[in-house]
Coordinates of all heavy atoms in Angstrom, one line a residue:
M435 N 0.8 -1.2 0.0 CA 0.0 0.0 0.0 C 0.9 1.3 0.0 O 0.6 2.2 -0.7 CB -0.9 0.0 1.2 CG -1.9 1.1 1.3 SD -3.0 1.0 0.0 CE -4.0 2.4 0.3
L436 N 1.9 1.2 0.8 CA 2.8 2.4 0.8 C 3.5 2.6 -0.5 O 3.7 3.8 -0.9 CB 3.9 2.2 2.0 CG 3.4 2.4 3.4 CD1 4.5 2.1 4.4 CD2 2.9 3.8 3.6
I437 N 3.8 1.5 -1.2 CA 4.4 1.7 -2.5 C 3.5 2.4 -3.4 O 4.0 3.3 -4.2 CB 4.9 0.3 -3.0 CG1 5.9 -0.3 -2.2 CG2 5.3 0.4 -4.5 CD1 6.3 -1.7 -2.5
L438 N 2.2 2.1 -3.4 CA 1.2 2.8 -4.3 C 1.2 4.3 -3.9 O 1.1 5.1 -4.8 CB -0.1 2.1 -4.1 CG -0.9 1.8 -5.3 CD1 -0.1 0.8 -6.1 CD2 -2.3 1.5 -5.0
I439 N 1.2 4.6 -2.6 CA 1.1 6.0 -2.2 C 2.4 6.7 -2.7 O 2.3 7.8 -3.2 CB 1.0 6.1 -0.7 CG1 -0.4 5.5 -0.3 CG2 1.1 7.5 -0.2 CD1 -0.6 5.4 1.2
Y440 N 3.6 6.2 -2.4 CA 4.8 6.8 -2.8 C 4.8 7.0 -4.3 O 5.3 8.0 -4.9 CB 6.0 6.0 -2.4 CG 6.3 6.2 -0.9 CD1 6.4 5.1 -0.1 CD2 6.6 7.5 -0.4 CE1 6.7 5.3 1.3 CE2 6.8 7.6 0.9 CZ 6.9 6.5 1.8 OH 7.1 6.7 3.1
S441 N 4.4 5.9 -5.1 CA 4.5 6.1 -6.5 C 3.5 7.1 -7.0 O 3.8 7.9 -8.0 CB 4.1 4.7 -7.2 OG 5.0 3.8 -6.8
S442 N 2.3 7.2 -6.4 CA 1.3 8.2 -6.8 C 1.9 9.7 -6.5 O 1.7 10.5 -7.4 CB 0.0 8.0 -6.0 OG -0.5 6.8 -6.3
I443 N 2.5 9.8 -5.4 CA 3.1 11.1 -5.1 C 4.2 11.5 -6.1 O 4.3 12.6 -6.6 CB 3.7 11.1 -3.7 CG1 2.6 11.1 -2.6 CG2 4.5 12.4 -3.4 CD1 3.0 10.9 -1.2
F444 N 5.0 10.5 -6.5 CA 6.1 10.7 -7.4 C 5.5 11.1 -8.8 O 6.0 12.0 -9.4 CB 6.9 9.4 -7.5 CG 8.0 9.5 -8.5 CD1 9.2 10.1 -8.1 CD2 8.0 8.9 -9.7 CE1 10.3 10.2 -9.0 CE2 9.1 8.9 -10.6 CZ 10.2 9.6 -10.2
V445 N 4.5 10.4 -9.3 CA 3.9 10.7 -10.6 C 3.2 12.1 -10.5 O 3.4 12.9 -11.4 CB 2.9 9.6 -11.0 CG1 2.1 10.1 -12.2 CG2 3.6 8.3 -11.3
L446 N 2.6 12.4 -9.4 CA 1.9 13.7 -9.3 C 3.0 14.8 -9.3 O 2.8 15.8 -9.9 CB 1.1 13.8 -8.0 CG 0.3 15.1 -7.7 CD1 -0.7 15.3 -8.8 CD2 -0.3 15.0 -6.4
A447 N 4.0 14.6 -8.5 CA 5.1 15.7 -8.5 C 5.8 15.8 -9.9 O 6.0 17.0 -10.3 CB 6.2 15.3 -7.5
G448 N 5.9 14.7 -10.6 CA 6.5 14.8 -11.9 C 5.6 15.6 -12.9 O 6.0 16.4 -13.7
S449 N 4.3 15.4 -12.8 CA 3.3 16.0 -13.7 C 3.2 17.5 -13.3 O 3.0 18.4 -14.2 CB 2.0 15.3 -13.7 OG 1.4 15.4 -12.5
V450 N 3.2 17.8 -12.1 CA 3.2 19.2 -11.6 C 4.4 20.0 -12.0 O 4.3 21.1 -12.5 CB 2.9 19.3 -10.1 CG1 3.0 20.8 -9.7 CG2 1.5 18.8 -9.8
L451 N 5.6 19.4 -11.8 CA 6.8 20.1 -12.1 C 7.2 20.0 -13.6 O 8.2 20.6 -14.0 CB 7.9 19.5 -11.3 CG 7.8 19.7 -9.8 CD1 8.9 19.0 -9.0 CD2 7.8 21.2 -9.4
E452 N 6.4 19.3 -14.4 CA 6.7 19.2 -15.8 C 6.7 20.6 -16.5 O 7.5 20.9 -17.4 CB 5.8 18.3 -16.5 CG 6.1 18.1 -18.0 CD 5.1 17.2 -18.7 OE1 4.1 16.8 -18.0 OE2 5.3 16.8 -19.8
R453 N 5.9 21.5 -16.0 CA 5.8 22.8 -16.6 C 7.1 23.6 -16.4 O 7.6 24.3 -17.3 CB 4.7 23.6 -16.0 CG 3.3 23.0 -16.4 CD 2.2 23.8 -15.8 NE 0.9 23.2 -16.1 CZ 0.3 22.3 -15.3 NH1 0.8 22.1 -14.1 NH2 -0.9 21.8 -15.6
Q454 N 7.8 23.4 -15.2 CA 9.0 24.1 -15.0 C 10.2 23.4 -15.6 O 11.1 24.0 -16.0 CB 9.2 24.2 -13.5 CG 8.2 25.2 -12.8 CD 8.4 25.2 -11.3 OE1 9.1 24.4 -10.8 NE2 7.8 26.2 -10.7
F455 N 10.2 22.1 -15.5 CA 11.3 21.3 -16.0 C 10.9 20.4 -17.2 O 11.1 19.2 -17.2 CB 11.9 20.4 -14.9 CG 12.3 21.2 -13.7 CD1 11.6 21.3 -12.6 CD2 13.6 21.9 -13.7 CE1 11.9 22.0 -11.5 CE2 14.0 22.5 -12.6 CZ 13.2 22.6 -11.5
G456 N 10.3 21.0 -18.2 CA 9.7 20.2 -19.3 C 10.7 19.5 -20.1 O 10.4 18.4 -20.7
S457 N 12.0 19.9 -20.1 CA 13.0 19.2 -21.0 C 13.7 18.1 -20.2 O 14.5 17.4 -20.7 CB 14.1 20.2 -21.4 OG 14.7 20.8 -20.3
H458 N 13.4 18.0 -18.9 CA 14.0 16.9 -18.0 C 13.0 15.8 -17.8 O 11.8 16.0 -17.7 CB 14.4 17.5 -16.7 CG 15.4 18.6 -16.8 ND1 16.7 18.4 -17.3 CD2 15.3 19.9 -16.4 CE1 17.3 19.5 -17.2 NE2 16.5 20.5 -16.7
C459 N 13.5 14.6 -17.8 CA 12.7 13.4 -17.6 C 12.7 13.2 -16.1 O 13.7 12.9 -15.5 CB 13.2 12.2 -18.3 SG 12.2 10.7 -18.0
A460 N 11.5 13.3 -15.4 CA 11.5 13.1 -14.0 C 10.7 11.9 -13.6 O 10.6 11.6 -12.4 CB 10.8 14.3 -13.3
I461 N 10.1 11.2 -14.6 CA 9.3 10.0 -14.2 C 9.9 8.8 -14.8 O 10.2 8.8 -16.1 CB 7.8 10.2 -14.8 CG1 7.1 11.4 -14.1 CG2 7.0 8.9 -14.5 CD1 5.8 11.7 -14.7
G462 N 10.3 7.9 -14.0 CA 11.0 6.7 -14.4 C 11.0 5.7 -13.3 O 10.8 6.0 -12.1
F463 N 11.4 4.5 -13.7 CA 11.4 3.4 -12.7 C 12.6 3.6 -11.7 O 12.5 3.2 -10.6 CB 11.5 2.1 -13.3 CG 11.2 1.0 -12.4 CD1 9.9 0.8 -11.8 CD2 12.2 0.1 -12.0 CE1 9.7 -0.3 -10.9 CE2 12.0 -0.9 -11.1 CZ 10.7 -1.1 -10.6
S464 N 13.6 4.2 -12.1 CA 14.8 4.4 -11.2 C 14.4 5.3 -10.1 O 14.9 5.2 -9.0 CB 16.0 4.9 -12.0 OG 15.7 6.2 -12.6
G465 N 13.6 6.3 -10.4 CA 13.1 7.2 -9.3 C 12.3 6.4 -8.2 O 12.4 6.7 -7.1
V466 N 11.5 5.5 -8.7 CA 10.7 4.6 -7.8 C 11.7 3.8 -7.0 O 11.5 3.6 -5.8 CB 9.7 3.7 -8.6 CG1 9.1 2.8 -7.7 CG2 8.7 4.6 -9.3
L467 N 12.7 3.3 -7.6 CA 13.7 2.5 -6.9 C 14.4 3.3 -5.8 O 14.7 2.9 -4.7 CB 14.7 1.9 -7.8 CG 14.2 0.8 -8.7 CD1 15.4 0.4 -9.7 CD2 13.7 -0.4 -8.0
F468 N 14.7 4.6 -6.1 CA 15.3 5.5 -5.1 C 14.3 5.7 -4.0 O 14.7 5.8 -2.8 CB 15.8 6.8 -5.7 CG 17.2 6.8 -6.2 CD1 17.5 6.4 -7.4 CD2 18.2 7.2 -5.3 CE1 18.9 6.4 -7.8 CE2 19.5 7.2 -5.7 CZ 19.9 6.8 -7.0
A469 N 13.0 5.8 -4.3 CA 12.1 6.0 -3.2 C 12.0 4.8 -2.3 O 11.9 4.9 -1.1 CB 10.7 6.3 -3.9
L470 N 12.1 3.6 -2.9 CA 12.0 2.4 -2.1 C 13.3 2.2 -1.3 O 13.2 1.8 -0.1 CB 11.9 1.2 -3.1 CG 10.5 1.0 -3.7 CD1 10.5 -0.1 -4.7 CD2 9.4 0.8 -2.7
K471 N 14.5 2.6 -1.9 CA 15.7 2.5 -1.1 C 15.6 3.5 0.1 O 16.1 3.1 1.2 CB 16.9 3.0 -2.0 CG 17.3 1.9 -2.9 CD 18.5 2.5 -3.6 CE 18.8 1.7 -4.9 NZ 19.9 2.3 -5.7
Y472 N 15.1 4.7 -0.1 CA 15.0 5.6 1.0 C 14.1 5.1 2.0 O 14.4 5.3 3.3 CB 14.6 7.0 0.4 CG 14.6 8.1 1.5 CD1 15.8 8.7 1.8 CD2 13.4 8.4 2.1 CE1 15.8 9.7 2.8 CE2 13.5 9.4 3.1 CZ 14.7 10.0 3.4 OH 14.7 11.0 4.5
F473 N 13.0 4.6 1.6 CA 12.1 4.0 2.6 C 12.7 2.9 3.4 O 12.5 2.8 4.6 CB 10.8 3.5 1.9 CG 9.8 2.9 2.8 CD1 9.1 3.6 3.7 CD2 9.6 1.5 2.8 CE1 8.2 3.0 4.6 CE2 8.7 0.9 3.6 CZ 8.0 1.6 4.6
I474 N 13.3 1.9 2.7 CA 14.0 0.8 3.4 C 15.1 1.3 4.4 O 15.2 0.9 5.5 CB 14.5 -0.2 2.4 CG1 13.3 -0.9 1.7 CG2 15.4 -1.2 3.1 CD1 13.8 -1.7 0.6
Y475 N 15.9 2.2 3.9 CA 17.0 2.7 4.8 C 16.5 3.5 5.9 O 17.1 3.6 7.0 CB 18.0 3.5 3.9 CG 18.9 2.7 3.0 CD1 19.4 3.3 1.8 CD2 19.2 1.4 3.2 CE1 20.1 2.5 1.0 CE2 20.0 0.7 2.4 CZ 20.5 1.3 1.3 OH 21.2 0.5 0.4
S476 N 15.3 4.2 5.8 CA 14.8 5.0 6.9 C 14.2 4.1 8.0 O 14.1 4.6 9.1 CB 13.8 6.0 6.4 OG 12.6 5.3 5.9
T477 N 13.9 2.9 7.7 CA 13.4 2.0 8.8 C 14.5 1.3 9.5 O 14.2 0.6 10.5 CB 12.4 1.0 8.1 OG1 13.1 0.2 7.2 CG2 11.2 1.7 7.5
K478 N 15.7 1.4 9.0 CA 16.9 0.7 9.7 C 17.7 1.6 10.4 O 17.9 2.8 10.0 CB 17.7 -0.1 8.6 CG 17.0 -1.2 8.0 CD 17.9 -1.9 7.0 CE 17.2 -3.1 6.4 NZ 18.1 -3.8 5.4
N479 N 18.4 1.1 11.5 CA 19.4 1.9 12.2 C 20.8 1.2 11.9 O 20.8 0.0 11.6 CB 19.1 2.0 13.6 CG 17.9 2.8 14.0 OD1 17.7 3.8 13.3 ND2 17.2 2.4 15.0
G480 N 21.8 2.0 12.0 CA 23.1 1.4 11.9 C 23.8 1.8 10.6 O 23.5 2.9 10.1
N481 N 24.6 0.9 10.1 CA 25.4 1.2 8.8 C 25.0 0.3 7.7 O 24.6 -0.9 8.0 CB 26.9 1.1 9.1 CG 27.4 2.3 10.0 OD1 26.7 3.3 10.1 ND2 28.4 2.0 10.7
V482 N 25.3 0.7 6.5 CA 25.1 -0.2 5.4 C 26.4 -0.1 4.5 O 27.0 0.9 4.5 CB 23.8 0.2 4.6 CG1 24.0 1.6 4.0 CG2 23.5 -0.8 3.5
N483 N 26.7 -1.2 3.8 CA 27.9 -1.2 2.9 C 27.5 -0.8 1.5 O 26.7 -1.5 0.9 CB 28.5 -2.6 3.0 CG 29.9 -2.7 2.3 OD1 30.4 -1.6 1.9 ND2 30.3 -3.8 2.2
I484 N 28.1 0.3 1.0 CA 27.8 0.8 -0.3 C 29.2 0.9 -1.1 O 30.0 1.8 -0.7 CB 27.1 2.1 -0.4 CG1 25.7 2.0 0.3 CG2 26.9 2.6 -1.8 CD1 25.0 3.2 0.4
H485 N 29.4 0.1 -2.0 CA 30.6 0.1 -2.8 C 31.8 0.1 -2.0 O 32.8 0.8 -2.2 CB 30.6 1.3 -3.8 CG 29.5 1.4 -4.7 ND1 29.3 0.5 -5.8 CD2 28.4 2.1 -4.8 CE1 28.2 0.8 -6.4 NE2 27.6 1.8 -5.8
G486 N 31.8 -0.7 -0.9 CA 33.0 -0.9 0.0 C 33.1 0.1 1.1 O 34.0 0.1 1.9
L487 N 32.1 1.1 1.1 CA 32.1 2.1 2.2 C 31.0 1.8 3.2 O 29.9 1.5 2.8 CB 31.9 3.5 1.6 CG 32.9 4.0 0.7 CD1 32.5 5.3 0.1 CD2 34.2 4.3 1.4
S488 N 31.4 1.9 4.5 CA 30.3 1.7 5.5 C 29.8 3.1 5.8 O 30.4 4.0 6.2 CB 31.0 1.2 6.8 OG 30.1 1.0 7.8
V489 N 28.5 3.2 5.5 CA 27.8 4.5 5.6 C 26.6 4.4 6.6 O 25.9 3.3 6.5 CB 27.3 5.0 4.2 CG1 26.6 6.3 4.2 CG2 28.5 5.0 3.2
A490 N 26.3 5.4 7.3 CA 25.1 5.5 8.1 C 23.9 5.4 7.2 O 23.8 6.0 6.1 CB 25.0 6.7 8.9
T491 N 22.8 4.7 7.6 CA 21.7 4.4 6.8 C 21.0 5.7 6.3 O 20.4 5.8 5.3 CB 20.7 3.4 7.4 OG1 20.4 3.9 8.7 CG2 21.2 2.1 7.5
R492 N 21.1 6.7 7.2 CA 20.3 8.0 6.8 C 21.0 8.7 5.7 O 20.4 9.5 5.0 CB 20.2 8.9 8.0 CG 21.5 9.5 8.5 CD 21.3 10.4 9.6 NE 21.8 9.8 10.8 CZ 22.0 10.4 11.9 NH1 21.9 11.7 12.0 NH2 22.5 9.8 12.9
Y493 N 22.3 8.4 5.4 CA 23.0 9.1 4.3 C 23.2 8.1 3.1 O 23.7 8.6 2.1 CB 24.4 9.5 4.8 CG 24.3 10.5 5.9 CD1 24.9 10.2 7.1 CD2 23.6 11.7 5.8 CE1 24.9 11.1 8.2 CE2 23.6 12.6 6.9 CZ 24.2 12.2 8.1 OH 24.1 13.1 9.1
A494 N 22.8 6.9 3.2 CA 23.1 5.9 2.2 C 22.4 6.3 0.8 O 23.1 6.2 -0.2 CB 22.6 4.5 2.6
T495 N 21.2 6.7 0.8 CA 20.5 7.0 -0.5 C 21.2 8.2 -1.1 O 21.3 8.3 -2.3 CB 19.0 7.2 -0.2 OG1 18.5 6.1 0.5 CG2 18.3 7.4 -1.5
W496 N 21.5 9.2 -0.3 CA 22.2 10.4 -0.8 C 23.5 10.1 -1.5 O 23.9 10.6 -2.5 CB 22.3 11.4 0.3 CG 21.0 11.9 0.8 CD1 20.4 11.5 2.0 CD2 20.1 12.8 0.1 NE1 19.2 12.1 2.1 CE2 19.0 12.9 1.0 CE3 20.1 13.4 -1.1 CZ2 17.9 13.6 0.7 CZ3 19.0 14.2 -1.4 CH2 17.9 14.3 -0.5
L497 N 24.3 9.2 -0.8 CA 25.6 8.7 -1.4 C 25.4 8.0 -2.7 O 26.1 8.2 -3.7 CB 26.3 7.9 -0.4 CG 27.6 7.3 -0.9 CD1 28.6 8.4 -1.1 CD2 28.2 6.3 0.1
E498 N 24.3 7.2 -2.8 CA 24.0 6.4 -4.0 C 23.6 7.4 -5.1 O 24.0 7.2 -6.3 CB 22.9 5.4 -3.8 CG 23.4 4.2 -3.0 CD 22.3 3.2 -2.8 OE1 21.2 3.4 -3.3 OE2 22.6 2.2 -2.2
L499 N 22.9 8.5 -4.8 CA 22.6 9.5 -5.7 C 23.8 10.1 -6.3 O 24.0 10.3 -7.6 CB 21.7 10.6 -5.1 CG 21.3 11.8 -6.0 CD1 20.4 11.3 -7.1 CD2 20.6 12.8 -5.2
V500 N 24.8 10.5 -5.5 CA 26.1 11.0 -5.9 C 26.8 10.0 -6.8 O 27.4 10.4 -7.9 CB 26.9 11.5 -4.8 CG1 28.3 11.9 -5.2 CG2 26.2 12.7 -4.1
V501 N 26.9 8.8 -6.4 CA 27.7 7.7 -7.1 C 27.0 7.5 -8.5 O 27.8 7.4 -9.5 CB 27.7 6.4 -6.3 CG1 28.2 5.2 -7.1 CG2 28.6 6.6 -5.0
V502 N 25.7 7.5 -8.6 CA 25.1 7.3 -9.8 C 25.4 8.5 -10.8 O 25.7 8.3 -11.9 CB 23.5 7.1 -9.7 CG1 22.8 7.3 -11.0 CG2 23.2 5.8 -9.1
Q503 N 25.4 9.7 -10.2 CA 25.7 10.8 -11.1 C 27.1 10.9 -11.6 O 27.4 11.3 -12.7 CB 25.3 12.1 -10.4 CG 23.9 12.4 -10.4 CD 23.2 12.4 -11.7 OE1 22.4 11.6 -12.0 NE2 23.7 13.2 -12.7
V504 N 28.0 10.4 -10.7 CA 29.5 10.4 -11.1 C 29.7 9.3 -12.2 O 30.4 9.6 -13.2 CB 30.3 10.0 -9.9 CG1 31.8 9.7 -10.3 CG2 30.4 11.2 -8.9
F505 N 29.1 8.1 -12.1 CA 29.4 7.1 -13.0 C 28.5 7.1 -14.3 O 28.8 6.6 -15.3 CB 29.2 5.7 -12.4 CG 30.4 5.4 -11.4 CD1 30.1 5.2 -10.1 CD2 31.7 5.3 -11.9 CE1 31.2 4.9 -9.2 CE2 32.8 5.1 -11.0 CZ 32.5 4.9 -9.7
S506 N 27.3 7.8 -14.2 CA 26.4 7.9 -15.2 C 25.8 9.4 -15.3 O 24.7 9.6 -14.9 CB 25.3 6.9 -15.1 OG 24.4 7.0 -16.2
P507 N 26.6 10.3 -15.8 CA 26.2 11.7 -15.7 C 25.0 12.0 -16.6 O 24.3 13.1 -16.3 CB 27.4 12.5 -16.2 CG 28.3 11.5 -16.9 CD 27.9 10.2 -16.4
N508 N 24.6 11.2 -17.5 CA 23.4 11.4 -18.3 C 22.1 10.9 -17.7 O 21.1 11.0 -18.3 CB 23.6 10.9 -19.7 CG 24.6 11.7 -20.5 OD1 24.8 12.8 -20.3 ND2 25.3 11.0 -21.4
S509 N 22.2 10.3 -16.5 CA 21.0 9.8 -15.9 C 20.1 10.9 -15.3 O 20.6 12.1 -15.2 CB 21.4 8.8 -14.8 OG 22.1 9.5 -13.8
S510 N 18.9 10.6 -15.0 CA 18.0 11.7 -14.6 C 18.2 12.0 -13.1 O 17.7 11.4 -12.2 CB 16.6 11.2 -14.8 OG 15.7 12.2 -14.3
W511 N 19.0 13.0 -12.8 CA 19.3 13.4 -11.5 C 18.0 13.9 -10.8 O 17.7 13.6 -9.7 CB 20.4 14.5 -11.4 CG 20.7 15.0 -10.1 CD1 21.5 14.5 -9.1 CD2 20.1 16.2 -9.5 NE1 21.5 15.2 -8.0 CE2 20.7 16.3 -8.2 CE3 19.3 17.2 -9.9 CZ2 20.4 17.3 -7.3 CZ3 18.9 18.2 -9.0 CH2 19.5 18.2 -7.7
F512 N 17.3 14.7 -11.6 CA 16.0 15.3 -11.0 C 15.0 14.1 -10.7 O 14.3 14.2 -9.7 CB 15.4 16.3 -12.0 CG 14.2 17.0 -11.5 CD1 14.3 17.9 -10.4 CD2 12.9 16.7 -12.0 CE1 13.2 18.5 -9.9 CE2 11.9 17.4 -11.5 CZ 12.0 18.3 -10.5
G513 N 14.9 13.1 -11.5 CA 14.1 12.0 -11.3 C 14.5 11.2 -10.1 O 13.6 10.8 -9.3
H514 N 15.7 11.0 -9.9 CA 16.2 10.3 -8.7 C 15.9 11.2 -7.4 O 15.5 10.6 -6.4 CB 17.7 10.0 -8.8 CG 18.0 9.1 -10.0 ND1 19.2 9.0 -10.5 CD2 17.2 8.2 -10.7 CE1 19.2 8.1 -11.5 NE2 18.0 7.6 -11.6
L515 N 16.1 12.4 -7.6 CA 15.9 13.3 -6.4 C 14.4 13.4 -6.0 O 14.1 13.4 -4.9 CB 16.4 14.7 -6.7 CG 16.4 15.7 -5.6 CD1 17.4 15.3 -4.5 CD2 16.9 17.1 -6.1
C516 N 13.5 13.3 -7.1 CA 12.1 13.2 -6.8 C 11.8 12.0 -6.1 O 10.9 11.9 -5.2 CB 11.3 13.4 -8.1 SG 11.2 15.1 -8.6
G517 N 12.4 10.9 -6.5 CA 12.2 9.6 -5.8 C 12.6 9.6 -4.4 O 11.8 9.1 -3.5
I518 N 13.7 10.3 -4.0 CA 14.1 10.4 -2.6 C 13.1 11.3 -1.9 O 12.7 11.1 -0.8 CB 15.5 11.0 -2.5 CG1 16.5 10.0 -3.1 CG2 15.9 11.3 -1.1 CD1 17.9 10.5 -3.2
G519 N 12.7 12.3 -2.6 CA 11.7 13.3 -1.9 C 10.3 12.7 -1.7 O 9.6 13.2 -0.8
A520 N 9.9 11.8 -2.5 CA 8.6 11.2 -2.4 C 8.6 10.4 -1.1 O 7.6 10.3 -0.4 CB 8.3 10.3 -3.6

């Protein structure tokens, strides 16, 4: 049920912000995955291992956002950010 709510918020945010960021793609499955990662990491305490680094769970999704942008600069940064924000 929560996945449906988060996905609906994500789609709604993408359609509302389309007027301002019309040339950017903000709706995609990777944004949904970032939303799910953020939700999963927010329910856990402690550290998680990301690419060999031990990171606190509250910062893990943000680090993954940076890593994705470094290794794939043409990916939708705004879409991933909307996923985290949803």
Side-chain angles (χ1 to χ4, degrees):
M435 182 69 178
L436 285 175
I437 294 172
L438 226 68
I439 293 170
Y440 283 123
S441 299
S442 299
I443 292 170
F444 181 75
V445 169
L446 181 63
S449 64
V450 168
L451 294 174
E452 183 180 7
R453 292 181 186 97
Q454 292 178 346
F455 301 101
S457 63
H458 299 298
C459 179
I461 299 175
F463 193 69
S464 61
V466 174
L467 292 177
F468 268 89
L470 290 174
K471 284 181 199 179
Y472 186 79
F473 176 72
I474 290 170
Y475 288 152
S476 68
T477 60
K478 294 183 177 182
N479 291 326
N481 293 336
V482 65
N483 187 8
I484 298 176
H485 301 289
L487 295 173
S488 181
V489 180
T491 53
R492 72 177 105 161
Y493 302 120
T495 310
W496 298 103
L497 178 65
E498 287 182 1
L499 178 65
V500 171
V501 168
V502 166
Q503 283 307 119
V504 167
F505 289 117
S506 181
N508 292 330
S509 64
S510 176
W511 178 82
F512 185 69
H514 298 160
L515 190 62
C516 283
I518 294 172

